[in-house]
Amino acid sequence: MKDQRIIKKYPNRRLYDTEVSRYITLADVRDLVMSCASFKVIDTANDQDITRSILLQIMLDEESGGEPLFTATMLSQIIRFYGGTLQGMFARYLESSLDLFSKQHQELARSWGETPFDAMSRMTRKNVQLWTEIQGEFMRAAGFAVGGDRPKKAEAKQPGPRDNDATGHDESM
């Protein structure tokens, strides 16, 4: 497995790709993302990993031009999760959801030669199973019992000799 590509950000705000030994732009970093290249952006001023902030800059550029992916409502909802008790759970749920969506996209591209109905049926069954698992994890993390997690109900009490009279009817009624 190839090592992670290192990109250095200098104080002059320029990005330097150490693999190709040249300065690159945010558009070049976007191309790395699109090609699924593994990389890390390091701030040379303090050796901090700033990959997330560079990716957020790319997202901001993408959102500013053309048709945005995120609506204002979606962004507001995401912001509300910051600092809350569900922040980590939401991040894992969102990451799992995006991963699932990406895998389904790849599978659809691979199965394009099949009968479309068969491919879609198989993917739908798989989606339902995976979403059920993801939702179960989400609910368990939130403290809710899910499916087989529920404790077994106490066995029903069998009536004893004192509970029934000779006719089999309950005297306590």
Side-chain angles (χ1 to χ4, degrees):
M1 182 174 160
K2 193 173 182 180
D3 289 345
Q4 208 172 38
R5 190 174 192 153
I6 301 296
I7 298 170
K8 294 181 179 181
K9 181 179 173 280
Y10 287 97
N12 63 5
R13 297 177 11 167
R14 294 185 73 188
L15 299 169
Y16 185 81
D17 186 337
T18 60
E19 185 168 303
V20 295
S21 300
R22 69 177 175 87
Y23 287 102
I24 61 173
T25 64
L26 281 179
D28 295 321
V29 176
R30 182 191 181 280
D31 291 343
L32 291 174
V33 171
M34 298 306 287
S35 66
C36 299
S38 178
F39 66 91
K40 186 178 193 178
V41 182
I42 304 294
D43 187 341
T44 59
N46 54 22
D47 288 332
Q48 286 188 325
D49 181 352
I50 58 167
T51 308
R52 288 181 63 254
S53 66
I54 295 296
L55 293 172
L56 285 168
Q57 284 180 342
I58 293 169
M59 287 181 65
L60 184 58
D61 287 350
E62 292 290 326
E63 286 289 309
S64 299
E67 188 174 335
L69 179 64
F70 296 103
T71 65
T73 302
M74 288 172 63
L75 290 170
S76 295
Q77 290 173 334
I78 291 169
I79 290 168
R80 286 185 198 112
F81 276 101
Y82 283 97
T85 58
L86 299 179
Q87 180 176 340
M89 185 180 2
F90 175 72
R92 286 188 302 276
Y93 181 78
L94 192 58
E95 187 171 357
S96 295
S97 298
L98 288 172
D99 187 48
L100 173 61
F101 186 84
S102 178
K103 286 177 183 175
Q104 290 298 302
H105 180 262
Q106 291 170 1
E107 186 171 332
L108 182 61
R110 277 195 307 268
S111 63
W112 202 247
E114 297 179 35
T115 306
F117 181 76
D118 292 341
M120 290 304 291
S121 295
R122 187 180 70 254
M123 286 174 54
T124 301
R125 285 190 302 274
K126 192 179 225 179
N127 276 344
V128 169
Q129 176 188 357
L130 291 171
W131 275 108
T132 301
E133 292 171 10
I134 290 170
Q135 287 177 339
E137 289 175 25
F138 185 75
M139 296 302 285
R140 275 191 285 285
F144 296 100
V146 178
D149 296 345
R150 293 187 183 122
K152 294 180 181 179
K153 292 182 180 178
E155 293 183 29
K157 183 182 174 192
Q158 297 295 327
R162 292 184 178 205
D163 295 333
N164 296 331
D165 63 9
T167 62
H169 294 91
D170 191 346
E171 289 181 349
S172 61
M173 293 179 144

